[in-house]
Amino acid sequence: MSQQSTAKVSLAVEIAGLRMKNPVMPASGTFGYGEEFAPYLDLNRLGAIVTKGLSLRPKAGNPTPRICETVSGMLNAIGLQNVGVDAFIEHKMPFLREINTPVIANFFGNTLEEYGEVARRLNEIPELAAVELNISCPNVKQGGIVFGTDPQAAHQAVDVVRKNLDKPLIVKLTPNVTDITVIARAVADAGADAVSCINTLTGMSIDVRRRKPKIANRTGGLSGPAIRPVAVRMVYQVVQAVAIPVIGVGGISSAEDALEFLIAGAQAVQVGTANFVDPDAMQQVIDGLERFCIEEGIADIRELIGSLEV
Amino acid sequence: MSNFKTRILANQEISPGYWRMRIQAPGAVADCRAGQFLMFRVQLSLLPLLRRPFGIFRTGFQPSDVDGLPPVEYLEILYKVVGQGTAMMSELHHGDRVEILGPLGRGFDGGEPGRRKILVGGGIGLVPLYMLAEQLVDGSEVRLLMGGRTRDDIIVVTEFERLGVQTYVSTEDGSLGDRGLVTAVLQQQLDADPDAEVFACGPLPMLEAVYGICRQRQVPLQVSLEALMACGVGACLGCVVKGVGHSETSPRFLCTCKEGPVFRAEQLAWDRLDRTEGTCEGCK
């Protein structure tokens, strides 16, 4: 891409006061704490970085095997293994601080009190641009999805976080509900600045020779291209239902995939499983978005957002 | 080398079900350490979605097929066809484009110079031991103990011999070498030379037996583990194994791709390793 053509297109977007060079960021849990991918990708080129979900104390995660491949996707039950919020501040932030890209910390709790406490600690990190609240992990017994499937519990979780947080608050929603718009409205009412949808779909895969589940947790979160149509549909529904910005996530591995979400109304996108397949995937999405805008004669990518004709 | 697109130089079946693939890889000779692995993208489509991890067998130079051009740097992997991904790989030919991420992970520590080195390979687990043997033969006497179910599982042993490695073969059905398990040969070897160091790669039950034998004699052991992986760079945490001190109340996991795939035996919680850990598509 020549310098001249780059200057013609603006890929910049803004979500809840968070300014990004482009609308592309990793999905939490698929990008470690950023440093894992630094040898393969210029982190300064990303719209934002979203780190692995943090809890108050370090969390060991689930027994193995934790992953398996499925048709155009994968199942995982990592179980939110993470270093804990204090180790994140001490050991991971120094690296992230040096990057010229907004950093968004994803986090979760086992109880309402923990949600509030982690939010309070993250709020004290000036270099964090925003936080993403996970109320939707399907792979942990306590917390997680319990808060994401009941509108009242979701409201409470967001409420307690909001009281402890001045930064922009993104809430990540689960697709494992009858009507995602009900939860989206509940978290918007409680003070969320944006929502990201969707997290993984609960799935199961069986080893037919051993007659056993392929992953130790029996069920896991399905991700990858296989879930994209579900994610696009849910983003489309949530965009109609709430006034706050929506971040689209689910099976994006190319610019065209990302464009589906943007046209459906998402203001930004997260790339997940594709990072595992190709550590350069997000750069390819960014380059492809720029190419598409040039080809379509679009000067500002925001013109595309919500441009769906039905 | 990191993440690069390249082409296949050769892809041949060397024993029923076992294949050897040579891939053009600039920088391979200088960049690879014995015991490292790579992630191989089988094809640029959604099936199979994830890359496959493979131990690096060897690196080298071959003459360019164009007169006057410098030799072509390559790396080689050996793989066993066991699933969809490896079956598709066996269909690839000279000149086909592929994507490689690597070399990745921690390799072997060469141990104490002068001390005899015993390498124990089970089937396709022999792969990461060749570069190690290349490195060790300069300073130590090296022996390879190679085990398999049948003679078909005994691969590339002559190449170790060419390095000056003494080789011992055992098969469970007796179709090649001694009848029985490779671990029986290891016992005999260590009875004769309790001062040796051991390096092993193969199925987990074999590694467990090797560990038992080495621990009893207080012989240093390094093992190369196999694991299911999605990313290969320490981000997905799908390939973890239980480290020493692991318990339900204070779990301790080690990432096979980043903290391994080679571990010193004392790093691992052997009595708690899951038998399903270390089973992927005939690869690392």
Side-chain angles (χ1 to χ4, degrees):
Chain A
M1 200 63 61
S2 71
Q3 285 291 318
Q4 202 182 358
S5 61
T6 307
K8 282 181 189 167
V9 177
S10 170
L11 294 183
V13 294
E14 188 175 323
I15 289 184
L18 182 65
R19 290 196 185 134
M20 307 198 298
K21 295 182 269 276
N22 61 64
V24 181
M25 63 185 107
S28 176
T30 67
F31 206 63
Y33 302 98
E35 59 195 1
E36 291 86 347
F37 283 82
Y40 312 103
L41 180 72
D42 182 357
L43 303 182
N44 294 314
R45 297 289 305 275
L46 303 177
I49 289 174
V50 185
T51 61
K52 179 140 186 65
L54 297 165
S55 47
L56 185 57
R57 278 173 283 280
K59 193 164 165 57
N62 286 334
T64 57
R66 294 172 165 188
I67 57 169
C68 75
E69 191 174 57
T70 58
V71 182
S72 295
M74 63 180 278
L75 277 178
N76 91 79
I78 305 298
L80 294 171
Q81 179 179 337
N82 78 94
V83 297
V85 67
D86 293 335
F88 171 77
I89 294 167
E90 190 180 351
H91 301 300
K92 306 297 179 183
M93 271 313 291
F95 171 83
L96 292 166
R97 229 172 250 140
E98 302 302 316
I99 295 161
N100 183 26
T101 294
V103 176
I104 301 170
N106 181 290
F107 74 104
F108 64 97
N110 289 326
T111 60
L112 281 174
E113 291 70 28
E114 273 189 28
Y115 273 109
E117 180 59 24
V118 185
R120 198 184 59 73
R121 293 194 196 191
L122 293 174
N123 199 46
E124 289 165 10
I125 309 173
E127 298 88 354
L128 273 187
V131 296
E132 184 181 64
L133 168 63
N134 179 6
I135 53 168
S136 48
C137 181
N139 297 323
V140 289
K141 286 189 182 120
Q142 283 185 302
I145 203 159
V146 175
F147 289 98
T149 51
D150 173 1
Q152 207 176 346
H155 189 286
Q156 279 182 322
V158 173
D159 188 53
V160 74
V161 168
R162 184 77 282 175
K163 288 194 170 84
N164 288 281
L165 186 82
D166 305 316
K167 295 176 187 296
L169 170 61
I170 303 160
V171 179
K172 189 164 183 177
L173 303 181
T174 175
N176 301 310
V177 290
T178 311
D179 184 355
I180 194 169
T181 64
V182 174
I183 309 291
R185 278 195 207 96
V187 302
D189 289 348
D193 295 306
V195 287
S196 41
C197 52
I198 55 175
N199 206 319
T200 54
L201 286 149
T202 303
M204 188 171 185
S205 189
I206 293 169
D207 180 333
V208 296
R209 298 206 183 275
R210 294 170 56 238
R211 278 80 150 166
K212 282 175 179 285
K214 281 190 181 170
I215 53 179
N217 200 47
R218 299 181 196 175
T219 61
L222 179 65
S223 63
I227 73 165
R228 197 174 65 249
V230 177
V232 172
R233 182 263 292 181
M234 289 191 163
V235 164
Y236 174 68
Q237 290 178 318
V238 171
V239 164
Q240 316 302 312
V242 295
I244 56 176
V246 176
I247 300 169
V249 47
I252 296 172
S253 55
S254 70
E256 187 168 335
D257 299 343
L259 283 161
E260 282 197 56
F261 285 90
L262 297 173
I263 291 167
Q267 309 262 355
V269 293
Q270 294 182 345
V271 175
T273 302
N275 294 319
F276 299 153
V277 180
D278 189 345
D280 191 39
M282 284 189 285
Q283 186 59 61
Q284 291 173 35
V285 172
I286 295 164
D287 291 345
L289 289 177
E290 186 173 305
R291 238 181 352 257
F292 181 85
C293 289
I294 292 167
E295 284 166 13
E296 295 281 314
I298 293 163
D300 188 328
I301 199 161
R302 289 176 298 179
E303 293 170 37
L304 279 169
I305 292 169
S307 61
L308 183 71
E309 295 176 15
V310 286
Chain B
M1 285 195 292
S2 73
N3 191 24
F4 63 107
K5 290 190 173 72
T6 185
R7 66 189 180 105
I8 291 173
L9 297 170
N11 190 26
Q12 292 170 319
E13 191 167 24
I14 54 169
S15 180
Y18 288 93
W19 289 69
R20 176 176 192 152
M21 184 185 283
R22 182 175 289 193
I23 303 160
Q24 188 171 351
V29 172
D31 292 349
C32 283
R33 293 193 309 280
Q36 287 191 297
F37 69 100
L38 55 79
M39 298 292 282
F40 185 94
R41 193 163 181 194
V42 179
Q43 61 172 21
L44 304 180
S45 71
L46 301 180
L47 289 175
L49 182 67
L50 300 176
R51 293 189 189 219
R52 299 288 189 268
F54 294 96
I56 296 168
F57 174 60
R58 59 175 292 192
T59 60
F61 293 94
Q62 72 173 40
S64 169
D65 48 13
V66 179
D67 283 349
L69 288 186
V72 176
E73 214 168 338
Y74 66 78
L75 55 78
E76 284 185 356
I77 56 173
L78 305 181
Y79 61 98
K80 187 179 181 184
V81 174
V82 291
Q84 181 198 31
T86 43
M88 290 168 79
M89 286 173 67
S90 71
E91 303 285 319
L92 297 172
H93 296 98
H94 170 85
D96 283 348
R97 305 281 295 175
V98 291
E99 267 190 38
I100 305 291
L101 178 64
L104 299 166
R106 284 175 193 257
F108 288 102
D109 167 345
E112 250 180 75
R115 220 166 154 179
R116 179 176 292 157
K117 308 293 190 291
I118 299 178
L119 317 185
V120 186
I124 200 73
L126 161 128
V127 172
L129 300 176
Y130 183 81
M131 282 178 73
L132 177 67
E134 276 185 318
Q135 177 191 325
L136 294 177
V137 286
D138 280 343
S140 301
E141 187 193 322
V142 183
R143 294 183 176 177
L144 172 71
L145 319 185
M146 176 62 187
R149 272 203 289 274
T150 76
R151 62 182 304 141
D152 292 344
D153 299 319
I154 306 302
I155 49 173
V156 297
V157 168
T158 50
E159 288 181 54
F160 281 81
E161 288 170 346
R162 265 183 242 138
L163 293 175
V165 173
Q166 258 187 298
T167 61
Y168 300 80
V169 169
S170 53
T171 51
E172 289 174 37
D173 68 353
S175 54
L176 194 68
D178 294 340
R179 180 191 291 270
L181 296 174
V182 70
T183 44
V185 187
L186 176 64
Q187 267 171 324
Q188 292 161 10
Q189 291 279 328
L190 289 179
D191 286 344
D193 182 4
D195 198 37
E197 291 179 275
V198 177
F199 306 77
C201 184
L204 192 59
M206 182 200 98
L207 295 180
E208 285 174 336
V210 168
Y211 170 66
I213 293 163
C214 291
R215 187 188 52 174
Q216 200 180 20
R217 293 165 171 79
Q218 295 184 311
V219 168
L221 167 66
Q222 293 176 50
V223 295
S224 176
L225 294 189
E226 298 181 342
L228 289 160
M229 289 180 191
C231 71
V233 299
C236 74
L237 306 178
C239 66
V240 295
V241 290
K242 297 175 189 85
V244 69
H246 177 98
S247 71
E248 294 307 315
T249 48
S250 65
R252 178 165 151 64
F253 286 113
L254 300 167
C255 220
T256 305
C257 68
K258 197 91 178 180
E259 290 157 286
V262 177
F263 294 96
R264 285 176 290 105
E266 58 271 23
Q267 289 179 273
L268 302 171
W270 288 93
D271 55 335
R272 291 172 174 270
L273 292 189
D274 187 334
R275 285 276 171 127
T276 57
E277 284 166 2
T279 51
C280 62
E281 288 209 344
C283 50
K284 173 131 307 297

